[in-house]
Every structure is written in C-alpha cells, then in structure tokens.
Amino acid sequence: MLSDEELTGTAVSSAGELLPMENNLTKDVESRISRPRTIEHEFWPLEEVDPKKAKFPCCVVWTPLPIVSWLAPFIGHVGICKEDGTIVDFSGSNLINANDFAFGPVARYLQLDREQCCFPPNLAEHKCKHRYVHAEFGTSMTWDDAIQASGRHIENKSYNIFTCNCHSFVADCLNRVGYEGLMSWNMVNVAALVLAKGRWVNGLSVLRSFMPFMVVLGLGVYAVGWPFIIALFSFSLLLLVWFLLSTYVFKNMLDC
C-alpha cells in the first residue's frame, strides 16, 4: 500500500528538507509570480477601404494642395484615419478636422499595419527598442487613442507650411505608436512613405494631382521658354532642401 507521502507527492525528509518534487513545485510558483505577464493586443477587424464614403481605416491619406502642388506636385496635404475610417487632419492654426478632409477628396492612401505598432500597458511591455524614449514622448493603448492624443498636442499650435504642418501631425501620431519600431517620424519621412508606397484611389486622382502641374509647365514654357523649367526645378529643389535642413540639421526651427 502507498504511503500518504507517495499519494500526495510531497513529503519532508528526516532532516527537515523539502523533497525534490516539492522543491521543483516551489520554484515553479516563484517563477510564475516573478515573471511579468505579457498582455497580447487584440485588434478589432477593420472594414474595407471605401473611397466613395471617404472611409480609410488606419490609413495615411494624401491630396494635392491648391497652387503649391501645381508648382511642386510631390507636395500635398496629409491626414491620418481612425480605425473606423474617419479622416483626421491638421489644416490650420488651432484646427483639427475630423471627417472633413481639407483641400478635396483623398487622392492617395496607404493602409498601415497595427501589428507594427507598440501599444505598451507598462514600461516592461514595449515591443519597440526605444522604450524609454517612447515612454517619455507619450504612448497610447490603441490606435485611436494615439490620434486623439496627437490632436490634443497639436491643436494649440500655429499652422505653418514650412515648420508645423499636416505632416508634423501625422508624424506625431506615428511616433506615439512607435510605428515599425521607430521614434524618428518627421515631415520628410512621412511624405516619403506616402509617395513611395501610397496607392492611387483611381485614375481621376492621378489626373487631378498632375494635370494642373502639366498645364502650368506648358504655359510657362510657351510664354517664357526653357528658363521657366529651370526656375520651376529650382523652386522644387529649394523646397526640398529647406525641409531636409529644417528636419535633420536645424531641428530647433521646428515648433511642432
């Protein structure tokens, strides 16, 4: 017949020491208590992108700007969308638009992957490598929380196309979620991201984005000649150099 010690799997030796089975159990309990609990993020399924209803869930969206895009078609207005597809954008001093995209309908969009974001419940649960920088900058528990927090941060800022603009707002949102493990989103790489990976809504969007530039270019060449092309190229180059210098060299010039 088995003894009580054998039935329960625990016993104490004559020297008062724990048997190996109980000793292992104790270590297992201690390790479970001391080990931090990992909380897995579960995301709500997103609806399909619907340009007709202006719904672009978790997308960065782009549209050409009047006059400016006619001269430099790579420059436009951007916004970021909530999980339900609502477009939110910074379009003027102390002005955050929701579901009313400034400067016309969306021409280009890029849907972002929430799995590439860092939504830490505490400092130990950061997915990104910049946990301290991320925590100091400001974190969010959800995608929509990040947009709301960025809106509160920037709604008291003065809009300036050169130093604090719609790209600054989107960059702030991406930094709050640590998108792709980065904390260095800014005006330049947000613009590059949309231009490089963005999808056109339709053929009319392409036409609407480039036709004014082609008309201006044609009229300029007809009226002035080839020097107009040089002047237009110089204008675009100066804008590009300004944004690069203000973003990466003279960072104190940016007031966003």
Side-chain angles (χ1 to χ4, degrees):
M1 182 177 295
L2 296 175
S3 65
D4 292 341
E5 289 82 357
E6 291 172 319
L7 288 173
T8 60
T10 60
V12 179
S13 66
S14 58
E17 297 178 350
L18 292 174
L19 291 177
M21 183 179 295
E22 185 171 345
N23 195 26
N24 291 338
L25 180 61
T26 303
K27 290 181 179 180
D28 183 62
V29 172
E30 290 176 350
S31 66
R32 288 174 181 271
I33 294 174
S34 61
R35 186 169 57 243
R37 182 183 177 185
T38 301
I39 300 176
E40 296 294 336
H41 234 336
E42 295 184 2
F43 299 110
W44 289 100
L46 299 178
E47 296 183 1
E48 295 293 328
V49 171
D50 189 350
K52 293 182 178 179
K53 296 182 179 179
K55 295 296 182 183
F56 299 85
C58 292
C59 289
V60 175
V61 293
W62 181 94
T63 194
L65 281 169
I67 302 178
V68 178
S69 298
W70 301 354
L71 303 176
F74 59 89
I75 294 179
H77 180 68
V78 297
I80 193 166
C81 305
K82 295 182 177 181
E83 291 176 311
D84 65 357
T86 302
I87 302 173
V88 181
D89 65 308
F90 177 46
S91 58
S93 298
N94 309 316
L95 179 61
I96 298 292
N97 285 329
N99 208 26
D100 184 20
F101 197 36
F103 308 111
V106 173
R108 183 180 274 189
Y109 69 93
L110 174 65
Q111 190 166 51
L112 304 183
D113 183 7
R114 289 173 296 175
E115 295 290 348
Q116 299 295 320
C117 299
C118 178
F119 299 112
N122 53 62
L123 191 60
E125 297 293 335
H126 277 258
K127 288 172 57 179
C128 61
K129 298 178 181 179
H130 312 284
R131 60 178 61 186
Y132 295 106
V133 177
H134 193 188
E136 183 179 1
F137 183 88
T139 62
S140 298
M141 290 293 292
T142 67
W143 179 269
D144 288 354
D145 284 345
I147 295 177
Q148 186 176 9
S150 294
R152 288 195 299 266
H153 166 73
I154 210 166
E155 66 182 355
N156 296 317
K157 301 289 185 178
S158 296
Y159 186 93
N160 186 314
I161 193 172
F162 296 109
T163 59
C164 185
N165 55 40
C166 52
H167 292 76
S168 308
F169 169 61
V170 174
D172 190 272
C173 293
L174 297 185
N175 284 326
R176 287 185 189 277
V177 299
Y179 189 68
E180 292 186 342
L182 301 177
M183 286 296 303
S184 56
W185 291 101
N186 53 52
M187 290 188 294
V188 173
N189 53 22
V190 166
L193 179 69
V194 178
L195 291 175
K197 298 183 178 181
R199 298 179 57 183
W200 293 102
V201 170
N202 50 39
L204 183 60
S205 298
V206 180
L207 192 64
R208 184 166 58 89
S209 299
F210 290 103
M211 180 60 75
F213 171 74
M214 298 303 296
V215 171
V216 170
L217 181 62
L219 291 175
V221 171
Y222 176 77
V224 181
W226 294 106
F228 181 81
I229 296 180
I230 298 175
L232 198 60
F233 176 77
S234 300
F235 172 75
S236 297
L237 184 61
L238 285 174
L239 284 178
L240 182 60
V241 170
W242 162 260
F243 286 121
L244 288 173
L245 288 178
S246 63
T247 300
Y248 295 106
V249 181
F250 307 112
K251 297 181 180 180
N252 58 337
M253 298 179 65
L254 302 181
D255 57 1
C256 260

